[in-house]
Amino acid sequence: MVTKKRVTAALALLLFLLALGAAWTGRVLLVDLPSPDTLYARQAGVSSRILDRHGRLLYEIIDPHAGRHTPVPLDAIPLACRQATVATEDANFYTNPGVDVTGILRALWINVQGGEVLAGGSTITQQVARNVLLDPQERAERTLVRKLRESILAWRIARAYSKDEVLAIYLNETYYGNLAYGIDAAARAIFGKDVSGLGLAECALLAGLPQGPAVYDPLIDPEAAQERQRVVLRLMVEQGYINAEQARLAAQEPLQFAAVPFAIEAPHFVMTVRAWLEDAVGLEALYTEGLLVTTTLDLDLQHTAQRIVRRHLERLAQAGEGSAYHDVNNAALVALDPQSGQILALLGSPDYFDPAIDGAVNAALALRQPGSAIKPLTYAAAFDPRRADPLTPAAILFDVRTAFPTREGTPYVPANYDSRFHGPVSAREALACSYNVPAVSVLQQVGVDQMVALAGDLGLSSFGAGERFGLALTLGGGEVRLLELTAAYAAFANGGQRVTPYGVLEVRDASGALRYRSQPGLGSQVLDARVAYLVTDILADNAARAPAFGSSSVLSLSRPAAAKTGTSSDWRDNWTVGYTPQLVAGVWAGNADGRPMVQVSGVEGAGPIWHDFMELALRGQPVLSFSEPPGLERVQVCAPSGLLPTPYCPRTRTELFVAGTAPTRPDDWYRLVELDVATGQAAGPETPENRVAEQVFVFPPAEVVEWARAHGWPLLPAAAGDATGSADDALVLTSPDAGTVYRLSQAVPAAYQSIRVAARPGDGVALAEVTLYADGAPLSTLVAPPYEAYWRLSPGTHTFHARAVDVNGRALQSATVSIEVRP
């Protein structure tokens, strides 16, 4: 409890400091100070208008005190909201004299040192004085004089009004973001209800917003808002308003975001522009200067996007005969000019005001897993001609079961979307068809850090440092924002220059004076133009993607276009991002609450939306081809080896290369062999001449021999005696898998590149001792389960088996398995 004597002493000290401050500043602090009696008499400013690129009104920003702002009495505001606000903004609110004496001392000390007095550390009463009574120009100052004048006003307010009256003014006047002044407006804007209906969890979230309405906006960054909510709950516990269990339950409570309808076009885009304007020109300018804000948005394209998204979501929702229930109710779309970065359309959801789908959440800016839509960045990094051994579209990748070592020591074995392996495939086909094993193999060669660095150069801000990601990053293991991923694809469309999306062309005040104008132009060259074209050429190659998507998929437009789909492994997100030379668009489909869809892939969910939007958006525009940069060459190669054709190669194709990277070695997969027709094996010196016949056989790399044999490739028959014996079922080697191909990685320390060797007893067998063998040498002897050990990878072919003795003294041996370790 603060005694009257202490309060008097604090006020005396304050008056002394004010007099001292006045002497230092040479200014009379009390001149022209507004009266606390005017707290309820603010005048309305001139409204600002946000327009599309053609001058059509999107939203009119009206000063909330012009009639739309309706204060609510304190007793209509839940106690939890009041307590959360006090705990967060001013823990000593009910006992202090309206000012923070420590804060004033700090300001004086900073001023003595010649520094700038920053905002922050003010009491609730001081914030009311500053935000309600001081004029906009003085409010923006960061000076000692303003701090002292604010403190005088706060002291006067504390004498003229009760604490509850001051708190009510604060709660009714504070800006909470999303065009909402006052906690009731915030409750309606964010939760779609009036303030009286808020619970503890909702109150704690709102109380955390005033310190950073744009930073903690739950409709753009729910994670940041919930983290801030946890801070507020912790402060409430520290102040004794709630206990730890109440805080825990509130933090875990799922929140339903909604919005009460009001007149606005392209609401998610307008909110994004509004947040930018607050930072660029300030809140007061928006309410008092009658700004005219011309944006990049094309309202016709925005309406087209909304119609198409709604139509296709309705299609997916239909569950009748011959169709499935997909459980998907949300989608987002972004369209950019790839030559400038201008945002032409931004749809965060099909209906901003529909609480059933969390429509107010901006899915265009939310973090979601991109699935295979991130793969083009991996291949772009691998195609870089500055690498010692750059990948080419003709390079052969092995789509067979492969275990990749990880930092955790557990092999990573990716699978394909269709649960099949496709053997040796060119990099062109692997990317176009979105095969997973080749993509992981390419990332292992490139290195996660290099791929993350390229992603950052292209504008993806969510990956951060690469250390926290593994090889699954190329399959969508890291979250991205739709707007940023679409901008990254724009760099492929424009020849490799970074694209930074922006939404404002210019800002003028009520007199017509220019306050801001965007500077046209792209960013730095982050991709070799030839690499950008290679990726584009592959993503536009309908024949290359036909094995996976068919020859008439939604990825094909009536004009040249490049596109890529993506689906997260748990069906929570699916994507299609694609472009022409003059337009790039990205589409996400899913559920805002993260609920998995039911069997909806990118080509089924987001793909049709992308296709229809692109066709309508480009209607009437010239049909343009992608401009091929100099420094590329076309070379005939043998399929499937990717090497130079020989007379024995049965099929060739033309491939595109960065100059100097085309193959120079003739194909050696297809070879003419002299065959002994009697034995069906290669003829030897002793084979009679009349039994010799010539035949072409395939000699693929070791990694794909088993796949090739299983798929009927003409392989040279094995010599007699190559068969292996059967295993004793009483002892089974469970790891590694026979025929697995491992690849060493330079990006992973050698000590972590190990595989698990394990055995188990057969049914009903009790073991006394097990010895694991690697390449015939004992690896480990174990007398109790689990019977496992780890063996460090080394290049070459290796064999493993196990021997054991059961409790009856019987000797047992498992089958021997072979694996291949490639450098």
Side-chain angles (χ1 to χ4, degrees), residues 376-377 380 458 487-497 527 531-533 535-536 539 579 626:
L377 277 67
L458 290 171
Y489 272 64
F492 296 130
N494 68 31
Q497 289 181 272
L527 274 178
V531 171
Y533 187 82
V535 173
T536 295
L539 297 184
Y579 52 93
F626 294 103

PDB file of all heavy atoms in Angstrom, residues 376-377 380 458 487-497 527 531-533 535-536 539 579 626:
ATOM      1  N   PRO A 376      11.327 -26.348 -57.075  1.00  0.00           N
ATOM      2  CA  PRO A 376      12.077 -25.584 -58.074  1.00  0.00           C
ATOM      3  C   PRO A 376      13.270 -24.820 -57.502  1.00  0.00           C
ATOM      4  O   PRO A 376      14.270 -24.621 -58.199  1.00  0.00           O
ATOM      5  CB  PRO A 376      11.020 -24.638 -58.648  1.00  0.00           C
ATOM      6  CG  PRO A 376       9.738 -25.395 -58.509  1.00  0.00           C
ATOM      7  CD  PRO A 376       9.871 -26.101 -57.202  1.00  0.00           C
ATOM      8  N   LEU A 377      13.195 -24.423 -56.234  1.00  0.00           N
ATOM      9  CA  LEU A 377      14.322 -23.713 -55.634  1.00  0.00           C
ATOM     10  C   LEU A 377      15.507 -24.648 -55.441  1.00  0.00           C
ATOM     11  O   LEU A 377      16.667 -24.255 -55.614  1.00  0.00           O
ATOM     12  CB  LEU A 377      13.916 -23.091 -54.296  1.00  0.00           C
ATOM     13  CG  LEU A 377      13.211 -21.732 -54.370  1.00  0.00           C
ATOM     14  CD1 LEU A 377      11.834 -21.846 -55.009  1.00  0.00           C
ATOM     15  CD2 LEU A 377      13.090 -21.114 -52.985  1.00  0.00           C
ATOM     16  N   ALA A 380      17.002 -25.121 -58.886  1.00  0.00           N
ATOM     17  CA  ALA A 380      17.676 -23.895 -59.313  1.00  0.00           C
ATOM     18  C   ALA A 380      19.050 -23.793 -58.671  1.00  0.00           C
ATOM     19  O   ALA A 380      20.027 -23.402 -59.324  1.00  0.00           O
ATOM     20  CB  ALA A 380      16.822 -22.677 -58.953  1.00  0.00           C
ATOM     21  N   LEU A 458      15.685 -15.023 -52.671  1.00  0.00           N
ATOM     22  CA  LEU A 458      14.469 -14.881 -53.473  1.00  0.00           C
ATOM     23  C   LEU A 458      13.312 -14.283 -52.681  1.00  0.00           C
ATOM     24  O   LEU A 458      12.230 -14.098 -53.227  1.00  0.00           O
ATOM     25  CB  LEU A 458      14.058 -16.242 -54.039  1.00  0.00           C
ATOM     26  CG  LEU A 458      14.972 -16.800 -55.133  1.00  0.00           C
ATOM     27  CD1 LEU A 458      14.596 -18.243 -55.464  1.00  0.00           C
ATOM     28  CD2 LEU A 458      14.907 -15.938 -56.385  1.00  0.00           C
ATOM     29  N   ALA A 487       6.247 -14.547 -55.037  1.00  0.00           N
ATOM     30  CA  ALA A 487       7.287 -13.595 -55.441  1.00  0.00           C
ATOM     31  C   ALA A 487       8.576 -14.316 -55.827  1.00  0.00           C
ATOM     32  O   ALA A 487       9.286 -13.883 -56.747  1.00  0.00           O
ATOM     33  CB  ALA A 487       7.550 -12.605 -54.312  1.00  0.00           C
ATOM     34  N   ALA A 488       8.893 -15.420 -55.161  1.00  0.00           N
ATOM     35  CA  ALA A 488      10.074 -16.192 -55.528  1.00  0.00           C
ATOM     36  C   ALA A 488       9.927 -16.765 -56.938  1.00  0.00           C
ATOM     37  O   ALA A 488      10.879 -16.757 -57.730  1.00  0.00           O
ATOM     38  CB  ALA A 488      10.303 -17.308 -54.514  1.00  0.00           C
ATOM     39  N   TYR A 489       8.748 -17.272 -57.278  1.00  0.00           N
ATOM     40  CA  TYR A 489       8.498 -17.770 -58.628  1.00  0.00           C
ATOM     41  C   TYR A 489       8.577 -16.644 -59.654  1.00  0.00           C
ATOM     42  O   TYR A 489       8.936 -16.875 -60.815  1.00  0.00           O
ATOM     43  CB  TYR A 489       7.126 -18.429 -58.701  1.00  0.00           C
ATOM     44  CG  TYR A 489       7.097 -19.901 -58.337  1.00  0.00           C
ATOM     45  CD1 TYR A 489       7.410 -20.335 -57.054  1.00  0.00           C
ATOM     46  CD2 TYR A 489       6.750 -20.860 -59.269  1.00  0.00           C
ATOM     47  CE1 TYR A 489       7.371 -21.676 -56.700  1.00  0.00           C
ATOM     48  CE2 TYR A 489       6.693 -22.208 -58.945  1.00  0.00           C
ATOM     49  CZ  TYR A 489       7.013 -22.611 -57.653  1.00  0.00           C
ATOM     50  OH  TYR A 489       6.987 -23.944 -57.330  1.00  0.00           O
ATOM     51  N   ALA A 490       8.224 -15.421 -59.240  1.00  0.00           N
ATOM     52  CA  ALA A 490       8.302 -14.295 -60.165  1.00  0.00           C
ATOM     53  C   ALA A 490       9.723 -14.099 -60.675  1.00  0.00           C
ATOM     54  O   ALA A 490       9.930 -13.638 -61.804  1.00  0.00           O
ATOM     55  CB  ALA A 490       7.793 -13.023 -59.486  1.00  0.00           C
ATOM     56  N   ALA A 491      10.720 -14.448 -59.859  1.00  0.00           N
ATOM     57  CA  ALA A 491      12.109 -14.329 -60.306  1.00  0.00           C
ATOM     58  C   ALA A 491      12.414 -15.299 -61.440  1.00  0.00           C
ATOM     59  O   ALA A 491      13.242 -15.003 -62.315  1.00  0.00           O
ATOM     60  CB  ALA A 491      13.064 -14.575 -59.132  1.00  0.00           C
ATOM     61  N   PHE A 492      11.762 -16.464 -61.461  1.00  0.00           N
ATOM     62  CA  PHE A 492      11.920 -17.370 -62.605  1.00  0.00           C
ATOM     63  C   PHE A 492      11.320 -16.742 -63.858  1.00  0.00           C
ATOM     64  O   PHE A 492      11.836 -16.918 -64.964  1.00  0.00           O
ATOM     65  CB  PHE A 492      11.238 -18.714 -62.329  1.00  0.00           C
ATOM     66  CG  PHE A 492      11.836 -19.503 -61.197  1.00  0.00           C
ATOM     67  CD1 PHE A 492      11.029 -20.028 -60.198  1.00  0.00           C
ATOM     68  CD2 PHE A 492      13.199 -19.722 -61.119  1.00  0.00           C
ATOM     69  CE1 PHE A 492      11.565 -20.752 -59.152  1.00  0.00           C
ATOM     70  CE2 PHE A 492      13.754 -20.453 -60.074  1.00  0.00           C
ATOM     71  CZ  PHE A 492      12.935 -20.967 -59.081  1.00  0.00           C
ATOM     72  N   ALA A 493      10.233 -16.009 -63.687  1.00  0.00           N
ATOM     73  CA  ALA A 493       9.538 -15.426 -64.846  1.00  0.00           C
ATOM     74  C   ALA A 493      10.278 -14.235 -65.438  1.00  0.00           C
ATOM     75  O   ALA A 493      10.167 -13.974 -66.640  1.00  0.00           O
ATOM     76  CB  ALA A 493       8.122 -14.991 -64.440  1.00  0.00           C
ATOM     77  N   ASN A 494      11.027 -13.502 -64.604  1.00  0.00           N
ATOM     78  CA  ASN A 494      11.640 -12.263 -65.112  1.00  0.00           C
ATOM     79  C   ASN A 494      13.131 -12.393 -65.411  1.00  0.00           C
ATOM     80  O   ASN A 494      13.797 -11.390 -65.662  1.00  0.00           O
ATOM     81  CB  ASN A 494      11.393 -11.102 -64.134  1.00  0.00           C
ATOM     82  CG  ASN A 494      12.146 -11.277 -62.817  1.00  0.00           C
ATOM     83  OD1 ASN A 494      13.224 -11.846 -62.739  1.00  0.00           O
ATOM     84  ND2 ASN A 494      11.561 -10.762 -61.745  1.00  0.00           N
ATOM     85  N   GLY A 495      13.653 -13.624 -65.363  1.00  0.00           N
ATOM     86  CA  GLY A 495      15.063 -13.802 -65.693  1.00  0.00           C
ATOM     87  C   GLY A 495      16.001 -13.803 -64.510  1.00  0.00           C
ATOM     88  O   GLY A 495      17.215 -13.652 -64.677  1.00  0.00           O
ATOM     89  N   GLY A 496      15.486 -13.976 -63.305  1.00  0.00           N
ATOM     90  CA  GLY A 496      16.343 -14.172 -62.149  1.00  0.00           C
ATOM     91  C   GLY A 496      16.471 -13.005 -61.200  1.00  0.00           C
ATOM     92  O   GLY A 496      17.267 -13.062 -60.256  1.00  0.00           O
ATOM     93  N   GLN A 497      15.699 -11.917 -61.391  1.00  0.00           N
ATOM     94  CA  GLN A 497      15.796 -10.772 -60.497  1.00  0.00           C
ATOM     95  C   GLN A 497      14.822 -10.906 -59.335  1.00  0.00           C
ATOM     96  O   GLN A 497      13.676 -11.338 -59.505  1.00  0.00           O
ATOM     97  CB  GLN A 497      15.504  -9.470 -61.250  1.00  0.00           C
ATOM     98  CG  GLN A 497      16.607  -9.079 -62.225  1.00  0.00           C
ATOM     99  CD  GLN A 497      16.290  -7.769 -62.919  1.00  0.00           C
ATOM    100  OE1 GLN A 497      15.637  -7.754 -63.965  1.00  0.00           O
ATOM    101  NE2 GLN A 497      16.741  -6.677 -62.343  1.00  0.00           N
ATOM    102  N   LEU A 527      19.508 -14.951 -59.434  1.00  0.00           N
ATOM    103  CA  LEU A 527      19.615 -16.203 -60.187  1.00  0.00           C
ATOM    104  C   LEU A 527      20.263 -15.907 -61.532  1.00  0.00           C
ATOM    105  O   LEU A 527      19.943 -14.888 -62.163  1.00  0.00           O
ATOM    106  CB  LEU A 527      18.242 -16.814 -60.445  1.00  0.00           C
ATOM    107  CG  LEU A 527      17.600 -17.726 -59.398  1.00  0.00           C
ATOM    108  CD1 LEU A 527      16.221 -18.149 -59.885  1.00  0.00           C
ATOM    109  CD2 LEU A 527      18.453 -18.943 -59.124  1.00  0.00           C
ATOM    110  N   VAL A 531      19.735 -20.114 -65.616  1.00  0.00           N
ATOM    111  CA  VAL A 531      19.147 -21.049 -64.650  1.00  0.00           C
ATOM    112  C   VAL A 531      17.649 -20.787 -64.514  1.00  0.00           C
ATOM    113  O   VAL A 531      16.847 -21.723 -64.486  1.00  0.00           O
ATOM    114  CB  VAL A 531      19.850 -20.924 -63.286  1.00  0.00           C
ATOM    115  CG1 VAL A 531      19.110 -21.717 -62.218  1.00  0.00           C
ATOM    116  CG2 VAL A 531      21.291 -21.410 -63.399  1.00  0.00           C
ATOM    117  N   ALA A 532      17.268 -19.506 -64.427  1.00  0.00           N
ATOM    118  CA  ALA A 532      15.846 -19.173 -64.345  1.00  0.00           C
ATOM    119  C   ALA A 532      15.101 -19.728 -65.552  1.00  0.00           C
ATOM    120  O   ALA A 532      13.976 -20.238 -65.430  1.00  0.00           O
ATOM    121  CB  ALA A 532      15.672 -17.654 -64.251  1.00  0.00           C
ATOM    122  N   TYR A 533      15.730 -19.642 -66.732  1.00  0.00           N
ATOM    123  CA  TYR A 533      15.070 -20.138 -67.946  1.00  0.00           C
ATOM    124  C   TYR A 533      14.991 -21.661 -67.941  1.00  0.00           C
ATOM    125  O   TYR A 533      13.991 -22.234 -68.387  1.00  0.00           O
ATOM    126  CB  TYR A 533      15.804 -19.655 -69.190  1.00  0.00           C
ATOM    127  CG  TYR A 533      15.062 -19.991 -70.464  1.00  0.00           C
ATOM    128  CD1 TYR A 533      14.020 -19.185 -70.918  1.00  0.00           C
ATOM    129  CD2 TYR A 533      15.384 -21.122 -71.211  1.00  0.00           C
ATOM    130  CE1 TYR A 533      13.316 -19.504 -72.067  1.00  0.00           C
ATOM    131  CE2 TYR A 533      14.692 -21.452 -72.359  1.00  0.00           C
ATOM    132  CZ  TYR A 533      13.657 -20.633 -72.790  1.00  0.00           C
ATOM    133  OH  TYR A 533      12.963 -20.954 -73.932  1.00  0.00           O
ATOM    134  N   VAL A 535      14.651 -23.643 -65.335  1.00  0.00           N
ATOM    135  CA  VAL A 535      13.543 -24.013 -64.453  1.00  0.00           C
ATOM    136  C   VAL A 535      12.215 -23.739 -65.153  1.00  0.00           C
ATOM    137  O   VAL A 535      11.299 -24.566 -65.137  1.00  0.00           O
ATOM    138  CB  VAL A 535      13.644 -23.248 -63.126  1.00  0.00           C
ATOM    139  CG1 VAL A 535      12.392 -23.491 -62.276  1.00  0.00           C
ATOM    140  CG2 VAL A 535      14.893 -23.669 -62.357  1.00  0.00           C
ATOM    141  N   THR A 536      12.106 -22.578 -65.770  1.00  0.00           N
ATOM    142  CA  THR A 536      10.876 -22.237 -66.490  1.00  0.00           C
ATOM    143  C   THR A 536      10.588 -23.236 -67.598  1.00  0.00           C
ATOM    144  O   THR A 536       9.444 -23.692 -67.777  1.00  0.00           O
ATOM    145  CB  THR A 536      10.991 -20.825 -67.079  1.00  0.00           C
ATOM    146  OG1 THR A 536      11.072 -19.880 -66.009  1.00  0.00           O
ATOM    147  CG2 THR A 536       9.795 -20.481 -67.955  1.00  0.00           C
ATOM    148  N   LEU A 539       9.225 -26.405 -66.037  1.00  0.00           N
ATOM    149  CA  LEU A 539       7.883 -26.259 -65.465  1.00  0.00           C
ATOM    150  C   LEU A 539       6.824 -25.975 -66.534  1.00  0.00           C
ATOM    151  O   LEU A 539       5.631 -26.110 -66.269  1.00  0.00           O
ATOM    152  CB  LEU A 539       7.876 -25.145 -64.421  1.00  0.00           C
ATOM    153  CG  LEU A 539       8.762 -25.359 -63.187  1.00  0.00           C
ATOM    154  CD1 LEU A 539       8.581 -24.221 -62.189  1.00  0.00           C
ATOM    155  CD2 LEU A 539       8.470 -26.701 -62.519  1.00  0.00           C
ATOM    156  N   TYR A 579       3.185 -19.152 -63.741  1.00  0.00           N
ATOM    157  CA  TYR A 579       3.387 -17.823 -64.308  1.00  0.00           C
ATOM    158  C   TYR A 579       3.483 -17.855 -65.821  1.00  0.00           C
ATOM    159  O   TYR A 579       3.757 -18.894 -66.439  1.00  0.00           O
ATOM    160  CB  TYR A 579       4.668 -17.207 -63.735  1.00  0.00           C
ATOM    161  CG  TYR A 579       5.899 -18.096 -63.840  1.00  0.00           C
ATOM    162  CD1 TYR A 579       6.772 -18.005 -64.928  1.00  0.00           C
ATOM    163  CD2 TYR A 579       6.193 -19.035 -62.857  1.00  0.00           C
ATOM    164  CE1 TYR A 579       7.893 -18.812 -65.021  1.00  0.00           C
ATOM    165  CE2 TYR A 579       7.306 -19.853 -62.942  1.00  0.00           C
ATOM    166  CZ  TYR A 579       8.155 -19.738 -64.032  1.00  0.00           C
ATOM    167  OH  TYR A 579       9.266 -20.551 -64.132  1.00  0.00           O
ATOM    168  N   PHE A 626       8.321 -17.148 -73.236  1.00  0.00           N
ATOM    169  CA  PHE A 626       9.405 -16.783 -72.334  1.00  0.00           C
ATOM    170  C   PHE A 626      10.661 -16.461 -73.148  1.00  0.00           C
ATOM    171  O   PHE A 626      11.014 -17.195 -74.077  1.00  0.00           O
ATOM    172  CB  PHE A 626       9.690 -17.911 -71.346  1.00  0.00           C
ATOM    173  CG  PHE A 626       8.546 -18.164 -70.402  1.00  0.00           C
ATOM    174  CD1 PHE A 626       7.700 -19.253 -70.588  1.00  0.00           C
ATOM    175  CD2 PHE A 626       8.299 -17.309 -69.339  1.00  0.00           C
ATOM    176  CE1 PHE A 626       6.645 -19.490 -69.731  1.00  0.00           C
ATOM    177  CE2 PHE A 626       7.236 -17.537 -68.472  1.00  0.00           C
ATOM    178  CZ  PHE A 626       6.407 -18.626 -68.668  1.00  0.00           C
TER     179      PHE A 626
END
